[in-house]
Amino acid sequence: MGITSAIVLFAVVWFMTFFIVLPLRMVTQDEDGAVVPGTHKSAPADAQIGRKARITTYWAVPIWAVLAVIILSGWISVRDLDWFDRMATPTSVTN
């Protein structure tokens, strides 16, 4: 895995983790009792994006490290995941 692949893998893991962390402990404007005119009642009262980005990074780094170790060790390779190649490659043919 090259440096570009590692960066792309980290970005994918970070954003997937961010989308999981984003709705946690969210208080809506309706629950808070202060709905700003022109917004939905379900809009967050205080999004705390910086805090959630920090939490995301704390979780994404170890997840990325585990995935990187698995990829670099060769336990799972692209060949293992390439289903189309396995279906296209003929097995032993006997006549």
Side-chain angles (χ1 to χ4, degrees), residues 5-64:
S5 303
I7 292 169
V8 169
L9 179 64
F10 181 76
V12 169
V13 169
W14 193 91
F15 276 102
M16 289 178 69
T17 308
F18 186 63
F19 289 135
I20 292 170
V21 170
L22 204 54
L24 299 178
R25 294 190 180 182
M26 184 186 75
V27 177
T28 64
Q29 291 181 7
D30 190 33
E31 292 170 343
D32 196 33
V35 178
V36 176
T39 62
H40 291 280
K41 295 186 296 184
S42 60
D46 183 18
Q48 300 178 354
I49 297 297
R51 180 175 181 263
K52 291 184 180 188
R54 229 179 5 263
I55 292 169
T56 299
T57 304
Y58 294 150
W59 280 96
V61 167
I63 293 169
W64 171 80

Side-chain angles (χ1 to χ4, degrees), residues 13 33 42 52-53 58-59 61 65 71 74-76 78 81 83 91 93:
V13 169
S42 60
K52 291 184 180 188
Y58 294 150
W59 280 96
V61 167
I71 291 169
W75 290 340
I76 298 175
V78 173
L81 302 175
W83 294 41
T91 55
V93 178

